[in-house]
PDB file of all heavy atoms in Angstrom:
ATOM      1  N   ALA A   1      -6.965   7.089  -0.965  1.00  0.00           N
ATOM      2  CA  ALA A   1      -7.053   6.095  -2.035  1.00  0.00           C
ATOM      3  C   ALA A   1      -7.579   6.708  -3.333  1.00  0.00           C
ATOM      4  O   ALA A   1      -7.007   6.501  -4.406  1.00  0.00           O
ATOM      5  CB  ALA A   1      -7.944   4.933  -1.593  1.00  0.00           C
ATOM      6  N   SER A   2      -8.659   7.471  -3.214  1.00  0.00           N
ATOM      7  CA  SER A   2      -9.259   8.031  -4.430  1.00  0.00           C
ATOM      8  C   SER A   2      -8.330   9.049  -5.090  1.00  0.00           C
ATOM      9  O   SER A   2      -8.357   9.210  -6.311  1.00  0.00           O
ATOM     10  CB  SER A   2     -10.625   8.645  -4.135  1.00  0.00           C
ATOM     11  OG  SER A   2     -10.490   9.808  -3.353  1.00  0.00           O
ATOM     12  N   TYR A   3      -7.501   9.701  -4.303  1.00  0.00           N
ATOM     13  CA  TYR A   3      -6.538  10.677  -4.840  1.00  0.00           C
ATOM     14  C   TYR A   3      -5.616  10.018  -5.869  1.00  0.00           C
ATOM     15  O   TYR A   3      -5.178  10.661  -6.817  1.00  0.00           O
ATOM     16  CB  TYR A   3      -5.736  11.258  -3.675  1.00  0.00           C
ATOM     17  CG  TYR A   3      -4.858  12.432  -4.019  1.00  0.00           C
ATOM     18  CD1 TYR A   3      -5.357  13.733  -3.965  1.00  0.00           C
ATOM     19  CD2 TYR A   3      -3.524  12.261  -4.371  1.00  0.00           C
ATOM     20  CE1 TYR A   3      -4.557  14.822  -4.265  1.00  0.00           C
ATOM     21  CE2 TYR A   3      -2.705  13.345  -4.669  1.00  0.00           C
ATOM     22  CZ  TYR A   3      -3.230  14.626  -4.616  1.00  0.00           C
ATOM     23  OH  TYR A   3      -2.436  15.696  -4.915  1.00  0.00           O
ATOM     24  N   ILE A   4      -5.333   8.715  -5.652  1.00  0.00           N
ATOM     25  CA  ILE A   4      -4.451   7.998  -6.576  1.00  0.00           C
ATOM     26  C   ILE A   4      -5.191   6.910  -7.366  1.00  0.00           C
ATOM     27  O   ILE A   4      -4.575   6.034  -7.960  1.00  0.00           O
ATOM     28  CB  ILE A   4      -3.219   7.407  -5.844  1.00  0.00           C
ATOM     29  CG1 ILE A   4      -3.630   6.497  -4.687  1.00  0.00           C
ATOM     30  CG2 ILE A   4      -2.293   8.525  -5.377  1.00  0.00           C
ATOM     31  CD1 ILE A   4      -2.469   5.780  -4.002  1.00  0.00           C
ATOM     32  N   GLY A   5      -6.521   6.971  -7.364  1.00  0.00           N
ATOM     33  CA  GLY A   5      -7.316   6.083  -8.210  1.00  0.00           C
ATOM     34  C   GLY A   5      -7.464   4.654  -7.720  1.00  0.00           C
ATOM     35  O   GLY A   5      -7.678   3.750  -8.528  1.00  0.00           O
ATOM     36  N   LEU A   6      -7.370   4.443  -6.402  1.00  0.00           N
ATOM     37  CA  LEU A   6      -7.515   3.099  -5.848  1.00  0.00           C
ATOM     38  C   LEU A   6      -8.709   3.045  -4.912  1.00  0.00           C
ATOM     39  O   LEU A   6      -9.210   4.069  -4.454  1.00  0.00           O
ATOM     40  CB  LEU A   6      -6.255   2.706  -5.067  1.00  0.00           C
ATOM     41  CG  LEU A   6      -4.946   2.624  -5.841  1.00  0.00           C
ATOM     42  CD1 LEU A   6      -3.797   2.295  -4.895  1.00  0.00           C
ATOM     43  CD2 LEU A   6      -5.026   1.593  -6.958  1.00  0.00           C
ATOM     44  N   SER A   7      -9.142   1.833  -4.593  1.00  0.00           N
ATOM     45  CA  SER A   7     -10.133   1.649  -3.536  1.00  0.00           C
ATOM     46  C   SER A   7      -9.408   1.749  -2.199  1.00  0.00           C
ATOM     47  O   SER A   7      -8.172   1.650  -2.139  1.00  0.00           O
ATOM     48  CB  SER A   7     -10.805   0.283  -3.658  1.00  0.00           C
ATOM     49  OG  SER A   7      -9.884  -0.739  -3.287  1.00  0.00           O
ATOM     50  N   GLY A   8     -10.162   1.927  -1.134  1.00  0.00           N
ATOM     51  CA  GLY A   8      -9.550   1.993   0.197  1.00  0.00           C
ATOM     52  C   GLY A   8      -8.771   0.738   0.533  1.00  0.00           C
ATOM     53  O   GLY A   8      -7.656   0.800   1.065  1.00  0.00           O
ATOM     54  N   ALA A   9      -9.330  -0.417   0.213  1.00  0.00           N
ATOM     55  CA  ALA A   9      -8.660  -1.688   0.514  1.00  0.00           C
ATOM     56  C   ALA A   9      -7.381  -1.847  -0.307  1.00  0.00           C
ATOM     57  O   ALA A   9      -6.352  -2.313   0.202  1.00  0.00           O
ATOM     58  CB  ALA A   9      -9.603  -2.859   0.260  1.00  0.00           C
ATOM     59  N   GLN A  10      -7.429  -1.448  -1.571  1.00  0.00           N
ATOM     60  CA  GLN A  10      -6.227  -1.544  -2.405  1.00  0.00           C
ATOM     61  C   GLN A  10      -5.127  -0.616  -1.881  1.00  0.00           C
ATOM     62  O   GLN A  10      -3.960  -1.003  -1.809  1.00  0.00           O
ATOM     63  CB  GLN A  10      -6.557  -1.178  -3.860  1.00  0.00           C
ATOM     64  CG  GLN A  10      -7.414  -2.191  -4.562  1.00  0.00           C
ATOM     65  CD  GLN A  10      -7.966  -1.661  -5.868  1.00  0.00           C
ATOM     66  OE1 GLN A  10      -7.965  -0.455  -6.129  1.00  0.00           O
ATOM     67  NE2 GLN A  10      -8.454  -2.570  -6.700  1.00  0.00           N
ATOM     68  N   TYR A  11      -5.508   0.595  -1.518  1.00  0.00           N
ATOM     69  CA  TYR A  11      -4.545   1.559  -0.988  1.00  0.00           C
ATOM     70  C   TYR A  11      -3.879   1.018   0.282  1.00  0.00           C
ATOM     71  O   TYR A  11      -2.652   1.036   0.414  1.00  0.00           O
ATOM     72  CB  TYR A  11      -5.240   2.894  -0.707  1.00  0.00           C
ATOM     73  CG  TYR A  11      -4.475   3.785   0.221  1.00  0.00           C
ATOM     74  CD1 TYR A  11      -3.351   4.484  -0.218  1.00  0.00           C
ATOM     75  CD2 TYR A  11      -4.856   3.914   1.550  1.00  0.00           C
ATOM     76  CE1 TYR A  11      -2.639   5.292   0.648  1.00  0.00           C
ATOM     77  CE2 TYR A  11      -4.145   4.716   2.412  1.00  0.00           C
ATOM     78  CZ  TYR A  11      -3.036   5.403   1.966  1.00  0.00           C
ATOM     79  OH  TYR A  11      -2.326   6.193   2.828  1.00  0.00           O
ATOM     80  N   THR A  12      -4.695   0.531   1.209  1.00  0.00           N
ATOM     81  CA  THR A  12      -4.156   0.011   2.467  1.00  0.00           C
ATOM     82  C   THR A  12      -3.223  -1.167   2.211  1.00  0.00           C
ATOM     83  O   THR A  12      -2.156  -1.275   2.825  1.00  0.00           O
ATOM     84  CB  THR A  12      -5.307  -0.409   3.408  1.00  0.00           C
ATOM     85  OG1 THR A  12      -6.117   0.737   3.673  1.00  0.00           O
ATOM     86  CG2 THR A  12      -4.784  -0.968   4.718  1.00  0.00           C
ATOM     87  N   THR A  13      -3.599  -2.036   1.300  1.00  0.00           N
ATOM     88  CA  THR A  13      -2.768  -3.195   0.974  1.00  0.00           C
ATOM     89  C   THR A  13      -1.453  -2.754   0.345  1.00  0.00           C
ATOM     90  O   THR A  13      -0.374  -3.243   0.711  1.00  0.00           O
ATOM     91  CB  THR A  13      -3.526  -4.160   0.043  1.00  0.00           C
ATOM     92  OG1 THR A  13      -4.782  -4.518   0.654  1.00  0.00           O
ATOM     93  CG2 THR A  13      -2.725  -5.412  -0.246  1.00  0.00           C
ATOM     94  N   LEU A  14      -1.513  -1.811  -0.581  1.00  0.00           N
ATOM     95  CA  LEU A  14      -0.309  -1.312  -1.251  1.00  0.00           C
ATOM     96  C   LEU A  14       0.654  -0.671  -0.254  1.00  0.00           C
ATOM     97  O   LEU A  14       1.861  -0.957  -0.258  1.00  0.00           O
ATOM     98  CB  LEU A  14      -0.694  -0.309  -2.342  1.00  0.00           C
ATOM     99  CG  LEU A  14       0.461   0.291  -3.151  1.00  0.00           C
ATOM    100  CD1 LEU A  14       1.180  -0.788  -3.950  1.00  0.00           C
ATOM    101  CD2 LEU A  14      -0.068   1.391  -4.077  1.00  0.00           C
ATOM    102  N   VAL A  15       0.134   0.175   0.615  1.00  0.00           N
ATOM    103  CA  VAL A  15       0.973   0.842   1.616  1.00  0.00           C
ATOM    104  C   VAL A  15       1.600  -0.186   2.556  1.00  0.00           C
ATOM    105  O   VAL A  15       2.780  -0.082   2.914  1.00  0.00           O
ATOM    106  CB  VAL A  15       0.152   1.889   2.405  1.00  0.00           C
ATOM    107  CG1 VAL A  15       0.902   2.384   3.619  1.00  0.00           C
ATOM    108  CG2 VAL A  15      -0.225   3.049   1.506  1.00  0.00           C
ATOM    109  N   THR A  16       0.834  -1.182   2.941  1.00  0.00           N
ATOM    110  CA  THR A  16       1.346  -2.207   3.844  1.00  0.00           C
ATOM    111  C   THR A  16       2.452  -3.015   3.179  1.00  0.00           C
ATOM    112  O   THR A  16       3.475  -3.307   3.811  1.00  0.00           O
ATOM    113  CB  THR A  16       0.203  -3.122   4.315  1.00  0.00           C
ATOM    114  OG1 THR A  16      -0.806  -2.307   4.924  1.00  0.00           O
ATOM    115  CG2 THR A  16       0.697  -4.149   5.328  1.00  0.00           C
ATOM    116  N   ILE A  17       2.282  -3.359   1.928  1.00  0.00           N
ATOM    117  CA  ILE A  17       3.336  -4.089   1.203  1.00  0.00           C
ATOM    118  C   ILE A  17       4.606  -3.245   1.170  1.00  0.00           C
ATOM    119  O   ILE A  17       5.705  -3.738   1.417  1.00  0.00           O
ATOM    120  CB  ILE A  17       2.871  -4.470  -0.217  1.00  0.00           C
ATOM    121  CG1 ILE A  17       1.743  -5.503  -0.150  1.00  0.00           C
ATOM    122  CG2 ILE A  17       4.048  -5.008  -1.042  1.00  0.00           C
ATOM    123  CD1 ILE A  17       1.021  -5.720  -1.464  1.00  0.00           C
ATOM    124  N   ARG A  18       4.444  -1.953   0.874  1.00  0.00           N
ATOM    125  CA  ARG A  18       5.614  -1.071   0.827  1.00  0.00           C
ATOM    126  C   ARG A  18       6.342  -1.051   2.179  1.00  0.00           C
ATOM    127  O   ARG A  18       7.563  -1.131   2.244  1.00  0.00           O
ATOM    128  CB  ARG A  18       5.216   0.348   0.439  1.00  0.00           C
ATOM    129  CG  ARG A  18       6.445   1.267   0.333  1.00  0.00           C
ATOM    130  CD  ARG A  18       6.078   2.693   0.102  1.00  0.00           C
ATOM    131  NE  ARG A  18       5.329   3.205   1.238  1.00  0.00           N
ATOM    132  CZ  ARG A  18       4.762   4.393   1.280  1.00  0.00           C
ATOM    133  NH1 ARG A  18       4.842   5.203   0.249  1.00  0.00           N
ATOM    134  NH2 ARG A  18       4.102   4.787   2.340  1.00  0.00           N
ATOM    135  N   HIS A  19       5.581  -0.969   3.259  1.00  0.00           N
ATOM    136  CA  HIS A  19       6.202  -0.898   4.580  1.00  0.00           C
ATOM    137  C   HIS A  19       6.846  -2.214   5.002  1.00  0.00           C
ATOM    138  O   HIS A  19       7.803  -2.218   5.775  1.00  0.00           O
ATOM    139  CB  HIS A  19       5.187  -0.462   5.632  1.00  0.00           C
ATOM    140  CG  HIS A  19       4.848   0.996   5.555  1.00  0.00           C
ATOM    141  ND1 HIS A  19       5.770   1.997   5.702  1.00  0.00           N
ATOM    142  CD2 HIS A  19       3.668   1.620   5.316  1.00  0.00           C
ATOM    143  CE1 HIS A  19       5.187   3.177   5.576  1.00  0.00           C
ATOM    144  NE2 HIS A  19       3.907   2.967   5.328  1.00  0.00           N
ATOM    145  N   LEU A  20       6.321  -3.326   4.497  1.00  0.00           N
ATOM    146  CA  LEU A  20       6.795  -4.637   4.965  1.00  0.00           C
ATOM    147  C   LEU A  20       7.604  -5.412   3.927  1.00  0.00           C
ATOM    148  O   LEU A  20       8.039  -6.525   4.208  1.00  0.00           O
ATOM    149  CB  LEU A  20       5.595  -5.492   5.397  1.00  0.00           C
ATOM    150  CG  LEU A  20       4.759  -4.952   6.559  1.00  0.00           C
ATOM    151  CD1 LEU A  20       3.571  -5.866   6.825  1.00  0.00           C
ATOM    152  CD2 LEU A  20       5.595  -4.795   7.817  1.00  0.00           C
ATOM    153  N   GLN A  21       7.831  -4.866   2.749  1.00  0.00           N
ATOM    154  CA  GLN A  21       8.416  -5.682   1.689  1.00  0.00           C
ATOM    155  C   GLN A  21       9.858  -6.092   1.968  1.00  0.00           C
ATOM    156  O   GLN A  21      10.344  -7.054   1.378  1.00  0.00           O
ATOM    157  CB  GLN A  21       8.289  -5.012   0.327  1.00  0.00           C
ATOM    158  CG  GLN A  21       9.165  -3.838   0.066  1.00  0.00           C
ATOM    159  CD  GLN A  21       8.879  -3.256  -1.320  1.00  0.00           C
ATOM    160  OE1 GLN A  21       7.758  -3.294  -1.822  1.00  0.00           O
ATOM    161  NE2 GLN A  21       9.911  -2.722  -1.938  1.00  0.00           N
ATOM    162  N   ASP A  22      10.577  -5.440   2.856  1.00  0.00           N
ATOM    163  CA  ASP A  22      11.931  -5.870   3.183  1.00  0.00           C
ATOM    164  C   ASP A  22      11.929  -7.089   4.104  1.00  0.00           C
ATOM    165  O   ASP A  22      12.976  -7.669   4.366  1.00  0.00           O
ATOM    166  CB  ASP A  22      12.712  -4.727   3.836  1.00  0.00           C
ATOM    167  CG  ASP A  22      12.965  -3.596   2.856  1.00  0.00           C
ATOM    168  OD1 ASP A  22      12.970  -3.863   1.633  1.00  0.00           O
ATOM    169  OD2 ASP A  22      13.133  -2.451   3.302  1.00  0.00           O
ATOM    170  N   THR A  23      10.746  -7.484   4.581  1.00  0.00           N
ATOM    171  CA  THR A  23      10.651  -8.557   5.589  1.00  0.00           C
ATOM    172  C   THR A  23      10.925  -9.970   5.075  1.00  0.00           C
ATOM    173  O   THR A  23      11.560 -10.705   5.798  1.00  0.00           O
ATOM    174  CB  THR A  23       9.290  -8.476   6.298  1.00  0.00           C
ATOM    175  OG1 THR A  23       9.151  -7.168   6.821  1.00  0.00           O
ATOM    176  CG2 THR A  23       9.176  -9.489   7.388  1.00  0.00           C
ATOM    177  N   PRO A  24      10.545 -10.493   3.959  1.00  0.00           N
ATOM    178  CA  PRO A  24       9.743  -9.960   2.855  1.00  0.00           C
ATOM    179  C   PRO A  24       8.252 -10.064   3.134  1.00  0.00           C
ATOM    180  O   PRO A  24       7.820 -10.851   3.978  1.00  0.00           O
ATOM    181  CB  PRO A  24      10.141 -10.843   1.678  1.00  0.00           C
ATOM    182  CG  PRO A  24      10.453 -12.150   2.292  1.00  0.00           C
ATOM    183  CD  PRO A  24      11.046 -11.836   3.649  1.00  0.00           C
ATOM    184  N   ALA A  25       7.480  -9.288   2.382  1.00  0.00           N
ATOM    185  CA  ALA A  25       6.037  -9.263   2.548  1.00  0.00           C
ATOM    186  C   ALA A  25       5.409 -10.466   1.850  1.00  0.00           C
ATOM    187  O   ALA A  25       5.644 -10.704   0.671  1.00  0.00           O
ATOM    188  CB  ALA A  25       5.472  -7.974   1.967  1.00  0.00           C
TER     189      ALA A  25
END
């Protein structure tokens, strides 16, 4: 997360949206 300037929770949420957005998320 810090590598890309996000908090851990924001990073996890962003990655999850990316993985599930075709569902749709």
